[in-house]
Structures are given as C-alpha cells and as structure tokens.
Amino acid sequence: MKIERLEITPRMSRIVKHNGTIYLCGQVAADANADIAEQTQTMLDKVEVLLEQAGSSKEHLLSATIYLRDMKDFAAMNDVWDAWVVQGHTPARACVEARLARPELLVEISVVAAEKY
C-alpha cells in the first residue's frame, strides 16, 4: 500500500498518509511564551491547517493525545479544546503530563484523522 509523506525533513514528516488515515507530527504553540490558552489555541490552529492540507478536517479526527507540562493547566486547556472540537465528532483522546522539548512549551498534541472521501 502506498505511503505518502508531506513536508519531509531529515528527522520527520509533518504529515504521513496511509490507507485513508492521516498522522500528524506533534504540534506546539506558535508562541511558546504565551499562556496556556493561547498556546492551546495556536497549536489547534496549526492542526487544522495541516489537516486541510492533508485532505481532512477536525470533523474527521480519530484520536488525539495531548501532552501538558503541568496538569494544573488541564481545565484551561480543556476550555479551548471544547470550543474548538466539533461536537458529535469528538475523537478518542488521552491527556498526560509530560516534560516537553523546551521548558517554555506548555502543551503539545499528536493527532490521527481519516481522509475526507
């Protein structure tokens, strides 16, 4: 079966498509110095752009794994998530506390989605 990789770097591909499924690399905020709400919103905005580029949308999300630097930000992150996600099309989701690549990053997400048909 064909595997399509988009925006390839020596370390990773930002998008991988296989058999109608789209995998995005981890996405973080546009401004790592912003608060949790802004970091979450800009991170989700980036996800939405990549999904469209890959031939999908947030209505086609299958799963999401969210990494928080500190669970104290769980409620504030969820406020932004709940306003962004499409009700009736919510993915399977996990949220864990984790050390992220840079200390100023508060949140990161990895998603899997289905292609639009």
Side-chain angles (χ1 to χ4, degrees):
M1 295 184 187
K2 180 183 173 190
I3 298 174
E4 182 180 359
R5 300 172 199 281
L6 304 170
E7 297 193 32
I8 300 169
T9 71
R11 182 168 292 150
M12 67 183 171
S13 299
R14 289 190 71 197
I15 301 167
V16 176
K17 297 170 70 171
H18 177 258
N19 201 28
T21 305
I22 297 164
Y23 305 86
L24 300 184
C25 69
Q27 295 300 305
V28 296
D31 178 2
N33 296 308
D35 66 13
I36 186 63
E38 186 177 337
Q39 283 199 31
T40 302
Q41 185 61 60
T42 62
M43 171 190 76
L44 294 173
D45 292 343
K46 289 166 70 174
V47 166
E48 199 163 354
V49 168
L50 288 172
L51 288 172
E52 289 296 326
Q53 179 182 342
S56 188
S57 69
K58 61 185 180 178
E59 290 86 356
H60 292 80
L61 286 175
L62 300 173
S63 71
T65 303
I66 300 170
Y67 305 93
L68 284 175
R69 185 182 78 183
D70 191 322
M71 276 298 184
K72 71 176 177 50
D73 291 327
F74 185 70
M77 178 277 299
N78 274 328
D79 287 343
V80 177
W81 170 268
D82 291 344
W84 179 81
V85 75
V86 179
Q87 294 304 306
H89 299 275
T90 52
R93 192 187 102 163
C95 184
V96 298
E97 186 175 87
R99 259 189 286 195
L100 301 177
R102 298 189 324 257
E104 62 273 14
L105 290 171
L106 303 177
V107 63
E108 182 171 351
I109 191 168
S110 178
V111 303
V112 177
E115 279 187 286
K116 292 181 194 177
Y117 289 106

